[in-house]
Amino acid sequence: MGEYSIALDSRDDDANVNFVSHAHTDHISGLRKNKKALASEITKDIVESRSGLSMELMEEPECVELLNAGHMLGSRQLFVQNDLHGYSILYSGDYQMDEPVLAEKLETKRADVLIVDSTYPYPEVKFDDKNEVIDAIQFYARKKTERGHVVFGAYTVGRAQELVKILNDAGMVPAVDEKIAAVNEVYRKHGARLEYVPIERPEDSAIVVVGQSKLAAVREAIMAKSIKKVYTAVASGWSKIFRFDTDVQFNLSDHADFSQALDYINACSPRIVFTFGSNARLFAKHLAMRGYDARPLVYTSEVNALMLNYI
Ligand SMILES: [Zn+2]
């Protein structure tokens, strides 16, 4: 990109701009070195309220476009038209093909090079139908709160807000911990309708959403004071792969599974695919077996070198 060198959701000492696709903590490490960022306003607000890091949003240069990623509120993909070398690059960040619970729906765009997130590289893992999962969460929460307490453990940013929304849509107002409440407020500032109350005495709450690390302690606290049964629950894409230590687990994901990733790649119709993030090698291997020109991205400088050979 000539005068800009962009770090993708990571720390890159040679970069002068960070692209922060969304506010999950594993995507903001570049900001510790350099505050200048391409990101959405919502991402900036969430990151600043949670991490204490400050972000300086830069105006998008003409050759850059931020596209909705459908992952969490404010999540974006980065599209760059590299006029110098005559090809375009799209970086997905974390993305979701399904209709998101709260995020802005994903937009796809054709690009010569696609750098695609590799969180779920497993062809045999197929996520459950999202509407059925949402119905199941609402049914479980209604049923179990008739005579007991339900405690959900969730990622503080993103998943917790989705659960609040899903419960609200079923007529329930959950109690949430302080950190979740702070993120809820940023979501509300940006237009999401979320109804919740702060958790004070957990034993007084029929339905609770807390950070995953607090789940066991909150369960114990309620059990010590209430005669009613306490049910624990988690909602995660990983429920297809791992058994969580809870009474029930729902397959609610804000990522694409393997077959959805193929749909996404086909929609972007790239000449070359770089897989990015954890499991990048495995994902590239499975894509290559299906005829894609795919390889794991190790250094971003590789992209340009490779594309110059290509064109
Ligand atoms: Zn994420």
Side-chain angles (χ1 to χ4, degrees), residues 22 24 26-27 71 94 255:
H22 65 290
H24 282 148
D26 50 336
H27 294 256
H71 174 61
D94 290 357
H255 283 273

Side-chain angles (χ1 to χ4, degrees), residues 47-75:
V47 167
E48 290 187 342
S49 86
R50 286 198 32 89
S51 67
L53 292 168
S54 66
M55 276 174 84
E56 210 178 279
L57 288 188
M58 65 179 279
E59 190 131 343
E60 287 159 40
E62 223 171 283
C63 57
V64 165
E65 208 180 324
L66 301 188
L67 302 167
N68 294 336
H71 174 61
M72 64 171 284
L73 199 65
S75 60

Side-chain angles (χ1 to χ4, degrees), residues 14 28 61 65 81 97-98 101 117 170 175 191 217 242 251 258 277 289 296:
D14 295 331
I28 63 173
E65 208 180 324
Q81 181 64 49
M97 293 293 279
D98 267 344
V101 175
D117 172 68
F242 300 121
N251 184 229
F258 188 82
M289 283 164 63

Side-chain angles (χ1 to χ4, degrees), residues 73-272:
L73 199 65
S75 60
R76 298 289 184 267
Q77 307 163 80
L78 175 72
F79 177 83
V80 179
Q81 181 64 49
N82 186 333
D83 285 331
L84 188 63
H85 300 304
Y87 64 87
S88 54
I89 303 180
L90 179 63
Y91 165 59
S92 69
D94 290 357
Y95 70 99
Q96 171 176 225
M97 293 293 279
D98 267 344
E99 185 76 40
V101 175
L102 280 167
E104 309 86 339
K105 194 169 169 43
L106 174 124
E107 303 167 276
T108 54
K109 190 170 171 103
R110 292 174 80 97
D112 297 309
V113 180
L114 178 64
I115 303 174
V116 62
D117 172 68
S118 58
T119 301
Y120 289 95
Y122 318 105
E124 68 279 13
V125 171
K126 177 146 183 46
F127 291 156
D128 294 343
D129 177 89
K130 175 155 287 189
N131 289 326
E132 284 176 19
V133 174
I134 291 171
D135 286 348
I137 291 172
Q138 292 172 332
F139 180 79
Y140 185 85
R142 266 198 221 105
K143 193 90 198 138
K144 295 302 182 193
T145 51
E146 280 171 12
R147 289 203 196 94
H149 305 264
V150 176
V151 185
F152 276 93
Y155 292 124
T156 299
V157 180
R159 178 51 35 77
Q161 289 69 41
E162 290 184 352
L163 283 170
V164 172
K165 169 83 167 70
I166 289 168
L167 295 169
N168 288 169
D169 288 347
M172 287 177 270
V173 177
V176 306
D177 68 39
E178 220 173 307
K179 287 183 176 171
I180 292 174
V183 181
N184 286 356
E185 283 310 302
V186 182
Y187 267 60
R188 280 165 60 121
K189 181 183 153 196
H190 287 278
R193 284 202 210 112
L194 299 176
E195 297 294 325
Y196 64 94
V197 291
I199 191 167
E200 277 158 11
R201 301 191 326 156
E203 65 274 18
D204 293 343
S205 307
I207 188 132
V208 178
V209 181
V210 292
Q212 206 133 6
S213 62
K214 301 188 184 104
L215 179 61
V218 171
R219 176 176 175 268
E220 296 300 314
I222 298 176
M223 282 172 71
K225 297 268 176 63
S226 173
I227 51 162
K228 292 183 192 167
K229 202 161 168 23
V230 186
Y231 301 92
T232 55
V234 73
S236 167
W238 294 107
S239 67
K240 281 283 164 193
I241 297 165
F242 300 121
R243 180 76 191 99
F244 289 85
D245 188 20
T246 51
D247 295 312
V248 67
Q249 53 189 48
F250 298 99
N251 184 229
L252 184 68
S253 179
D254 47 16
H255 283 273
D257 66 15
F258 188 82
S259 84
Q260 291 166 342
L262 294 186
D263 291 344
Y264 172 72
I265 294 168
N266 294 340
C268 301
S269 175
R271 290 199 256 178
I272 183 162

